[in-house]
Amino acid sequence: MDRERGLHRGAGPPARRRRGEKGAAPAAAAAREALGRSRGGLSTKVHLACDERGRPLSVVLTPGQSGDAPRFDEVMAGVRCRTRSGRVRTRPDRVLADRAYDSRAIRGHLRRRGITATIPQAADRVRNRLAKGSRGGRPPAFDPNAYKQRNTVERSINRLKQWRGLATRYDKTAHSYMAALTIASLMIWLATK
C-alpha cells in the first residue's frame, strides 16, 4: 500500500490557469465598476474638486490605472456651488491643479471659460519648450504663492479617507462606493458650515 499523499505522479494540469478565474468579471464590467489594476492590485481612483475650505464639489470615480487629465472636463462639469445671492455658480475664479493636469487642452479649456489656471509645468514639457529655443514660446503663467493653497484638495481627500470603507473600498459596486463618498462629502459640508 502506497502512503505517499499529495505527491503527483505523471503529467497533470498546470498549476496556474491561463484563463480568467471562475466567476471573474470581464474587463468592461470591471471598468464599469471603477476597478482597475494599478501598482498594488485592484484599485479605484477618486478625482475630486473642492472649494477653498476643503468641501468636495465634484467627485468622479475611475479605474486605478486611468489618467487624471482625461477626466478633467468631467470633474469640472460637476462643479456647482451656490453663492450668497442664491445663484448657482459653475465657473470658479481659479483652478489649482498638479502637474498631471498640465496639457494644452486643459489650459485652453480654462482660458476659454475665463478661469485662471495655476498648474505647474511638467518637466518634459519644459525641456521640450527649451529645446525649441525661441520657437518654443513663453512658459504659461504660474503663481507659486497661489499654488501653496493646492494642499486643500489633499486635505479634503484625507478627510474622506477617515472613513475606513472609503479608504479600502469595501463596496463591490461603483454605485454603492459613490453613495458612500456622497454621504462622507455631505458630512464634511455639515461639519464645516
Side-chain angles (χ1 to χ4, degrees):
M1 189 157 158
D2 193 36
R3 291 277 193 201
E4 296 178 21
R5 291 187 182 163
L7 299 177
H8 299 289
R9 291 187 228 162
R16 188 172 164 196
R17 289 180 152 184
R18 285 175 177 64
R19 58 186 172 87
E21 289 296 319
K22 194 176 205 179
R32 187 175 55 247
E33 295 304 335
L35 285 172
R37 294 256 174 225
S38 187
R39 291 182 185 178
L42 287 174
S43 64
T44 298
K45 190 178 280 191
V46 177
H47 304 271
L48 176 78
C50 69
D51 65 359
E52 67 276 356
R53 294 173 65 188
R55 299 177 300 190
L57 298 173
S58 175
V59 178
V60 175
L61 294 178
T62 59
Q65 78 275 9
S66 68
D68 292 334
R71 298 295 179 198
F72 181 78
D73 292 339
E74 202 174 334
V75 173
M76 288 299 291
V79 172
R80 304 247 186 285
C81 59
R82 206 169 282 283
T83 61
R84 291 181 185 180
S85 65
R87 188 178 71 128
V88 175
R89 214 170 154 199
T90 60
R91 188 174 57 90
D93 296 329
R94 179 182 295 268
V95 169
L96 304 171
D98 61 3
R99 285 181 172 86
Y101 295 98
D102 178 34
S103 72
R104 284 190 192 129
I106 290 174
R107 289 182 188 274
H109 171 78
L110 293 174
R111 196 175 308 115
R112 281 189 300 277
R113 290 190 66 195
I115 301 170
T116 305
T118 304
I119 305 171
Q121 269 196 306
D124 61 336
R125 292 198 44 174
V126 171
R127 196 171 43 249
N128 293 339
R129 183 177 49 77
L130 292 176
K132 290 180 182 178
S134 61
R135 293 179 299 124
R138 293 183 314 210
F142 178 71
D143 183 4
N145 290 326
Y147 188 69
K148 290 177 183 178
Q149 297 302 315
R150 199 194 72 76
N151 68 15
T152 307
V153 177
E154 304 300 331
R155 289 194 324 255
S156 181
I157 289 173
N158 288 337
R159 277 176 158 175
L160 288 172
K161 285 184 178 180
Q162 287 178 357
W163 282 273
R164 187 183 312 165
L166 295 178
T168 56
R169 169 100 196 237
Y170 289 136
D171 300 308
K172 182 174 181 176
T173 63
H175 290 299
S176 59
Y177 187 64
M178 188 62 160
L181 272 170
T182 304
I183 291 170
S185 298
L186 287 172
M187 292 179 79
I188 289 173
W189 269 86
L190 292 173
T192 57
K193 276 274 180 176

